[in-house]
Amino acid sequence: MNSPEMVEYIRTMIRGDHESNDRIEARLDEIGWDGFPALLGAVFYFAVNQRFNERTSPGEIMRFVADMRAAAPAGTPEIDANAAETLIRAAVDPDVETAIDPQMAGRIQGLVILNILGKGGVDDDELDELLADAAALASRV
């Protein structure tokens, strides 16, 4: 089960509101993170499908991942490029097989979400709708 705090945590992460994000993270450390991986995965799914589709070339995904990795702030944990490309392809094509370490998958999902939805990628109404859709999907998983 995902909580309103988890949705707000992702919102503050996307919007770069570090103070609120840290406060919500501390609260989630107290109440628990149960359901967060499903919510993060759902947000990732909707973000990727907003940016890519089944006709997107492998080269375009490779360039996106390379640019994303190059632009990652100092101190950001390293992500595996092949795993990132695979996760993105799997979000638009359910036939793509994934066998990626869950911790690596979470890092990739967070970075992809920031790169697609952050920095003005969506307005507040679009973000609200995407997060509501993701929370609804995650609650069914």
Side-chain angles (χ1 to χ4, degrees):
M1 178 186 124
N2 58 70
S3 68
E5 287 94 347
M6 289 179 194
V7 172
E8 195 57 27
Y9 177 80
I10 293 176
R11 179 191 315 283
T12 60
M13 178 184 80
I14 291 167
R15 290 297 184 229
D17 183 351
H18 303 291
E19 185 178 313
S20 294
N21 189 261
D22 289 346
R23 183 177 34 77
I24 296 166
E25 182 175 356
R27 173 79 177 125
L28 287 169
D29 285 343
E30 291 174 14
I31 64 174
W33 291 85
D34 290 345
F36 185 75
L39 177 62
L40 187 68
V43 173
F44 173 79
Y45 170 81
F46 286 114
V48 167
N49 279 278
Q50 182 172 308
R51 169 77 169 71
F52 302 104
N53 61 48
E54 63 278 350
R55 294 179 305 281
T56 302
S57 72
E60 187 177 342
I61 293 172
M62 288 172 67
R63 280 188 297 282
F64 173 82
V65 170
D67 291 347
M68 176 181 73
R69 292 176 76 217
T76 301
E78 187 69 21
I79 63 162
D80 179 272
N82 290 327
E85 292 165 19
T86 299
L87 273 181
I88 290 169
R89 281 195 308 275
V92 294
D93 180 357
D95 293 331
V96 172
E97 292 291 323
T98 60
I100 297 167
D101 171 72
Q103 189 172 14
M104 175 60 68
R107 289 198 303 255
I108 291 166
Q109 289 170 337
L111 197 54
V112 168
I113 289 166
L114 287 176
N115 277 268
I116 293 175
L117 302 178
K119 303 176 201 122
V122 292
D123 65 28
D124 287 339
D125 290 338
E126 292 169 319
L127 182 57
D128 288 346
E129 183 177 341
L130 187 144
L131 290 173
D133 291 345
L137 177 62
S139 71
R140 293 192 304 266
V141 175

